[in-house]
Amino acid sequence: MRSAARNRWEWTIVVVAAAVALVLGMVGFARLDPDAPFTELLYRSLQLFTLESGAVAEGSAPLSLEIARLLAPVVAAYAAVRAVLLLVRDRLSLLRVRLFARRHAVVAGLGAKGFTLARRLAEAGARVVVVERDGDNPSVAGCRARRIPVLVGDASDPAVLARVGAERAAVLYVTTGDDRRNIDVGFALDALPVPTRGPRPTVLVHLDDVALWRRLAARLVSGPRPRPFRVAFFSVRETAARMLVERQPPFPATGELPRRATALVVGGSGFGESVIVAAAAAWRRSRPAADEELAIVVAGPAAARERDVIARRHPELEQVCRLVAWEAELDDLADAPASDAVYVCLPDETEGLVAGLALDSARRSGGPIVLAVTDAATGLASALRDRTARLRPFGVLGEALDPEAIGHGTNEILARAKHAHYVASELERGIGPAENPSVVPWEELDESLKESNRLFADSVGGKLAAAGCAVVPEPLADPEHPSFAFSDAEVERLARAEHDRWWNDLAAEGWTPGPVKDAAAKVHPSLVSWSELSEEERDKDREPIRSLPAMLAHVGFGITRGVDAAEPKAAGRTEVPLGSAG
């Protein structure tokens, strides 16, 4: 940010100095030739910037012209040199990235999402490089002003990705603004060589179409083998809706729940639909009693139609909440039903402000009135800060494009859930960090052990395919009571497969058997065949399999049977072996 601010000040000074030189030149030439027309004075003064100083036949030039003769070429020279230096610096930065960068971030696409993400990454101190197809995109200059290198090219071309070292990056964010292109870019990395050492890059592909996002995310988890690079899909709309409901729920987050809770959503399409689903999911996770109810009121001129569309898309909503419609014009919401929280989710921010102010003046909400805007730090949202504390802006892009929030793709969440389950199991057995260094929060876990948990998540699809199952979207899944459970025989088979997978992965990393676990020395006592494991150690593989439906429910997915287990083989993919390695 300091660099960007300094650049703005430098160019402001240059523009002011150029204007001063231009005016002084015109004044000087006017004194030499009072009858000269304005256009002639302007032309002569502009020539000063190209060292055409304007010879004076008799007498000395006016002081204003002498100053302009000196100032104009200096300004022109400085601007030219500065522009060349910026271009050279950008080229050198790209060359340095191509040759030496490791574990950096690559952003493909400089729309509103891509620019916001690149800016936030840079502000957080991350090394980031951008690929943008349109060299005339105004955000290119914004990135370069922040010293973010920009390569102009098509990110769906593997050769272009190779120029920014994408195969060595920690993460590739794909935000071109078009779902089809995003998918093309996301899988273009497959054509690059897989890193032989260290973790693989994660490719995070944004999708605007929420239904497509859910289906493709479920398909990735269902895949029977991991791709060369980890690919995950994310949705700004879904991420923002979840964050909004977590921060401003229509019911208390802790303590005794009310008998009745009401959420009013103005605008039930697009972001409003995602907020409704997120509110219903949060209500289900809160474990309401049988006689407690969440009512979600869809309000607006087309409320009935929007309510019907949502009910068709999410038939499971009727099991969680009561979804009703209340039709009214946006400036006539004074009689809207009393509610515990209001979410104004209209695509037009001006209309949203009209609706928010009408609801604020009605005082029929006991909780906050949240107005969804693109960015709460700029534009229309700034007008709300001095007006009222009840009407609060929520920046969809600013909040959802937090690298930490979107970096937790399905694979990462499953890996963290696996580790959390392991820690809970060890603590239940009375084993703490002193006895087992792995019994620590995820953030403190050794990177090699994090990778081991990610490999477990990678293998989920293969296990499900071998059991004739697949992952399906289930946004209102209940982690406490998932709709699916493996049989005891399936748990045993899949646990054995998991042990074999874990053994092979650690052996590939150079781990060996030993009496005591030592992560630094890569020694583990359980690196033996299934038949040699104690029942206690076998349970460490069984429990994650039993808990897999709950883990998936936490990220909005369920498991279904009926998938032909031979399908992966027919598609040219290998099934996970279920036999013992011993």
Side-chain angles (χ1 to χ4, degrees):
M1 289 301 294
R2 290 181 180 178
S3 175
R6 187 176 66 232
N7 286 334
R8 286 196 296 270
W9 277 108
E10 286 180 2
W11 287 111
T12 298
I13 293 172
V14 168
V15 170
V16 170
V20 169
L22 186 67
V23 171
L24 290 177
M26 293 179 67
V27 170
F29 284 121
R31 289 182 178 176
L32 289 176
D33 186 359
D35 297 327
F38 176 83
T39 53
E40 178 68 20
L41 297 176
L42 178 62
Y43 175 73
R44 291 181 183 178
S45 188
L46 288 172
Q47 283 187 307
L48 297 178
F49 291 91
T50 60
L51 297 179
E52 296 290 336
S53 58
V56 179
E58 297 180 4
S60 60
L63 179 60
S64 59
L65 182 57
E66 292 287 4
I67 295 174
R69 281 174 169 174
L70 295 174
L71 183 59
V74 170
V75 170
Y78 178 85
V81 170
R82 192 81 174 90
V84 171
L85 288 177
L86 285 172
L87 180 62
V88 171
R89 185 189 70 193
D90 198 54
R91 295 298 178 98
L92 288 175
S93 296
L94 287 170
L95 180 61
R96 188 165 59 248
V97 167
R98 182 179 183 182
L99 296 178
F100 306 112
R102 298 289 188 280
R103 310 305 295 161
H104 54 298
V106 178
V107 177
L110 265 185
K113 299 179 184 69
F115 180 63
T116 300
L117 189 53
R119 189 183 71 234
R120 295 196 66 170
L121 286 164
E123 290 170 355
R127 189 171 190 179
V128 56
V129 60
V130 170
V131 181
E132 166 57 33
R133 185 168 60 169
D134 181 10
D136 295 327
N137 186 327
S139 294
V140 171
C143 283
R144 287 173 173 161
R146 292 166 172 80
R147 296 184 179 273
I148 301 173
V150 179
L151 174 64
V152 176
D154 185 352
S156 64
D157 183 351
V160 171
L161 292 178
R163 290 183 61 189
V164 293
E167 75 279 9
R168 305 185 306 270
V171 60
L172 166 63
Y173 300 94
V174 186
T175 56
T176 70
D178 178 84
D179 285 356
R180 173 60 189 271
R181 280 190 50 76
N182 283 351
I183 293 171
D184 289 343
V185 174
F187 291 98
L189 206 59
D190 282 359
L192 299 183
V194 180
T196 56
R197 301 174 63 182
R200 295 172 290 162
T202 296
V203 184
L204 295 171
V205 181
H206 180 263
L207 295 175
D208 283 312
D209 188 322
V210 173
L212 179 62
W213 164 71
R214 288 198 177 103
R215 292 191 184 100
L216 287 180
R219 191 174 185 85
L220 278 181
V221 178
S222 294
R225 70 170 173 85
R227 308 190 63 82
F229 301 97
R230 288 196 177 96
V231 180
F233 295 102
F234 73 99
S235 164
V236 162
R237 199 176 100 183
E238 290 295 295
T239 301
R242 186 183 69 251
M243 295 175 71
L244 171 55
V245 171
E246 286 175 354
R247 294 183 187 180
Q248 304 288 349
F251 52 87
T254 59
E256 184 179 351
L257 292 175
R259 288 301 196 193
R260 295 287 184 267
T262 301
L264 181 70
V265 180
V266 182
S269 61
F271 185 59
E273 178 181 342
S274 296
V275 170
I276 289 169
V277 174
W283 175 258
R284 166 169 270 181
R285 288 193 300 270
S286 70
R287 318 307 308 157
D291 60 344
E292 293 176 326
E293 179 188 68
L294 171 66
I296 300 180
V297 181
V298 183
R305 180 180 57 81
E306 292 171 344
R307 186 268 319 275
D308 292 344
V309 169
I310 295 170
R312 284 197 303 270
R313 288 177 177 169
H314 306 279
E316 65 274 24
L317 273 173
E318 66 179 14
Q319 303 171 15
V320 182
C321 64
R322 184 165 55 90
L323 188 64
V324 297
W326 192 82
E327 293 207 355
E329 295 302 317
L330 298 178
D331 58 353
D332 189 25
L333 295 172
D335 295 327
S339 56
D340 300 285
V342 176
Y343 309 100
V344 181
C345 306
L346 296 167
D348 187 304
E349 292 185 8
T350 303
E351 291 183 349
L353 182 59
V354 169
L357 292 173
L359 287 162
D360 188 28
S361 62
R363 299 283 170 174
R364 293 180 61 80
S365 168
I369 301 172
V370 182
L371 173 61
V373 295
T374 301
D375 191 341
T378 59
L380 176 147
S382 60
L384 300 179
R385 294 190 181 90
D386 298 329
R387 171 165 177 81
T388 174
R390 294 181 71 246
L391 185 55
R392 306 172 186 174
F394 177 84
V396 173
L397 288 190
E399 297 291 346
L401 288 173
D402 176 5
E404 179 69 13
I406 65 176
H408 296 173
T410 306
N411 178 285
E412 188 76 0
I413 294 175
L414 285 175
R416 291 178 180 230
K418 165 71 161 52
H419 176 66
H421 183 273
Y422 173 78
V423 169
S425 299
E426 289 291 274
L427 292 175
E428 188 176 336
R429 295 168 54 215
I431 299 175
E435 297 81 16
N436 184 351
S438 298
V439 183
V440 294
W442 176 267
E443 292 73 20
E444 301 174 23
L445 193 63
D446 182 81
E447 186 59 39
S448 66
L449 298 178
K450 288 181 179 179
E451 187 65 13
S452 179
N453 285 296
R454 293 181 183 121
L455 290 171
F456 163 81
D458 286 340
S459 71
V460 165
K463 294 180 177 65
L464 294 176
C469 300
V471 175
V472 293
E474 198 174 323
L476 290 173
D478 184 357
E480 296 293 329
H481 298 93
S483 58
F484 178 93
F486 291 110
S487 68
D488 290 342
E490 287 172 331
V491 169
E492 194 70 13
R493 291 167 54 218
L494 296 177
R496 180 176 294 199
E498 168 56 19
H499 176 70
D500 292 348
R501 191 278 312 164
W502 172 83
W503 184 5
N504 292 331
D505 285 342
L506 261 64
E509 292 291 327
W511 286 68
T512 57
V516 179
K517 180 179 177 180
D518 185 340
K522 293 189 175 182
V523 173
H524 203 295
S526 296
L527 281 171
V528 295
S529 67
W530 179 263
S531 61
E532 297 175 75
L533 289 175
S534 67
E535 283 300 307
E536 184 178 61
E537 289 298 314
R538 291 180 183 182
D539 279 338
K540 292 181 181 179
D541 290 312
R542 293 170 180 140
E543 283 305 312
I545 300 301
R546 293 191 184 102
S547 301
L548 187 55
M551 294 181 194
L552 287 167
H554 273 291
V555 287
F557 297 108
I559 301 175
T560 185
R561 296 188 187 276
V563 178
D564 185 0
E567 183 186 347
K569 184 177 288 187
R573 293 180 284 195
T574 305
E575 293 183 41
V576 173
L578 295 180
S580 169

